[in-house]
DNA sequence: TGGTTCAACTAACGGTGTTAAGTTAGCATG
DNA sequence: CATGCTAACTTAACACCGTTAGTTGAACCA
């Protein structure tokens, strides 16, 4: 069945289906064969539209990062930073399974760089020295990526009783599992505000 | 050649060789066959000592986390937190290639939990409400894991000129690549201090 | 109309983690 | 001391992976 009258595949369609599988089955749950099957096509057909799986994932990741809002630096660095960080985290939290890939390597993801530029520019325009602007950008990214990993609250397995017995100081943390998402969200917000407070004190003390 | 007179393999030896390969060839560079070859043995022999690759990696990760210092909470929460965060980051920076695995899933890594317990206990003992102690622990971990990913400075590929042309505001960031490690280390220290300053202000303001 | 290009196909390669079955050294027991 | 069980390895093989090669026939342009 060669060259169908109307194309069966498109880059956008492939990306959408790939993201769907990642969301449902995890990053390791995505294989080219499974993806092809979901699109009603054989695996090598995908390689006509994407040269490699890596490239496809790069594009999917790009699509997600595109939604991050870096526009609020016009309302001051504090507002800009908070808006950026929150929308960044929200974007990742919507597709947590792709975060390990995101974090692995930068690849060819243009969107990240365009945003890094906007952020750095916004901070410098607000009076931060370039070197500190760089560090603030990096720091915020650390927070977002770290939080997106959810490594803390997800560090508790389902069978909680075991840990309660062994680690008494964890105390009220025994309900961490059931409130995992809320804890992650609150902790991120907490960390972000502490960090920005620290920044404000530093900038104000000059 | 069955059952050699003296065992060729041990869990510790397997872990050591695995970590060596990971450090040298990256996380994806570790395969059971390559690991077996490095140990002068056939691949299935490993499965006598480790039920699965995942379990092996869990153990390797555990070994690394074991080195994290959580003892300094006896000198106050500030000192305890700083020491923990710095030694945590140092431990990960020593084996950056395993960080993506670390972040992927918590697995059965006992060491993480024993440390979470110590940290939570130390913070509460120093006067932090349990709920905030949980968030402080989580936040610090976000910073460490995020920084270990080095996702910011490594987000710039080798060919820098391309980005200079396209993203003018990046300005002095054009030397990011060559100073990548230094930038990461400084940014982490910066973020940590800003965060702890924010914390101190919050605790002091009560 | 003819030739080229496109978008799919099947077959296959080398790699992966892992399981099954075979072989024999070491150890415990009668 | 012989017997049997377990331990620690072997080779062969399974199902899957990302990817490449070679084929087919519809669509498009001259």
């Amino acid at each position: 069945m060669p060259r169908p009258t109307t194309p069966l595949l498109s880059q956008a369609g492939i990306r959408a289906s790939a993201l769907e599988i990642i969301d449902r089955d995890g990053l390791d749950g995505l294989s080219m064969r499974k993806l092809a099957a979901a699109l009603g096509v054989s695996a090598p057909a995908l390689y006509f539209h994407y040269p490699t799986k890596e490239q496809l994932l790069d594009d999917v990741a790009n699509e997600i990062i595109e939604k991050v809002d870096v526009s609020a630096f016009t309302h001051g660095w504090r507002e800009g930073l908070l808006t950026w960080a929150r929308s960044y985290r929200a974007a990742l939290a919507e597709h947590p399974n792709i975060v390990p890939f995101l974090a692995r390597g930068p690849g060819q993801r243009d969107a990240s760089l365009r945003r890094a530029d906007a952020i750095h520019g916004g901070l410098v325009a607000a009076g931060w020295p370039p070197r500190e602007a760089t560090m603030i950008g990096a720091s915020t990214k650390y927070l977002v990526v770290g939080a997106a990993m959810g490594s803390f609250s997800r560090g508790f397995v389902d069978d909680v009783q075991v840990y309660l017995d062994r680690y008494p100081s964890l105390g009220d943390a025994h309900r961490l599992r059931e409130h995992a998402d809320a804890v992650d969200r609150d902790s991120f917000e907490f960390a972000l505000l502490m960090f920005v407070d620290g920044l404000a004190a530093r900038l104000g003390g000059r």
Side-chain angles (χ1 to χ4, degrees), chain A:
Chain A
M1 197 172 287
R3 181 140 200 187
T5 167
T6 172
L8 301 175
L9 296 178
S10 70
Q11 294 208 26
I14 293 173
R15 281 195 305 263
S17 194
L19 185 53
E20 214 172 291
I21 293 176
I22 289 171
D23 285 343
R24 178 165 31 90
D25 303 340
L27 194 58
D28 293 341
L30 176 75
S31 80
M32 298 304 265
R33 284 170 174 82
K34 191 197 279 189
L35 172 57
L39 291 161
V41 115
S42 76
L46 299 169
Y47 286 82
F48 191 89
H49 301 269
Y50 272 108
T52 190
K53 187 186 184 184
E54 181 91 4
Q55 195 52 247
L56 164 59
L57 285 172
D58 268 354
D59 264 27
V60 172
N62 233 326
E63 225 170 18
I64 291 172
I65 301 297
E66 291 280 0
K67 295 182 184 165
V68 176
D69 182 3
V70 293
S71 70
F73 283 92
T74 53
H75 301 88
W77 67 267
R78 205 178 196 281
E79 192 61 27
L81 205 61
L82 289 173
T83 300
W84 170 48
R86 284 168 180 152
S87 79
Y88 194 174
R89 174 182 139 84
L92 297 191
E94 222 169 312
H95 306 283
N97 289 342
I98 211 183
V99 173
F101 173 80
L102 250 243
R104 193 171 288 262
Q108 236 57 34
R109 295 198 301 281
D110 215 46
S112 310
L113 287 160
R114 243 177 299 122
R115 272 151 183 75
D117 191 54
I119 291 150
H120 195 270
L123 288 169
V124 169
W128 285 99
R131 177 175 159 71
E132 294 187 18
T134 298
M135 293 196 293
I136 292 172
S139 301
T140 309
K141 200 159 179 178
Y142 296 163
L143 270 183
V144 171
V145 170
M149 296 284 179
S151 39
F152 186 79
S153 50
R154 272 188 244 148
F156 296 82
V157 292
D158 293 302
D159 187 5
V160 189
Q161 198 54 47
V162 182
Y163 299 102
L164 268 184
D165 298 342
R166 284 201 271 176
Y167 310 114
S169 300
L170 283 176
D172 275 343
H174 70 283
R175 269 175 287 126
L176 263 182
R177 210 8 168 133
E178 57 195 38
H179 300 319
D181 284 355
V183 167
D184 263 344
R185 200 168 339 111
D186 291 353
S187 296
F188 171 73
E189 192 65 25
F190 179 81
L192 183 61
L193 290 179
M194 291 303 104
F195 174 63
V196 171
D197 282 357
L199 284 182
R202 181 187 181 88
L203 192 64
R206 284 211 187 106

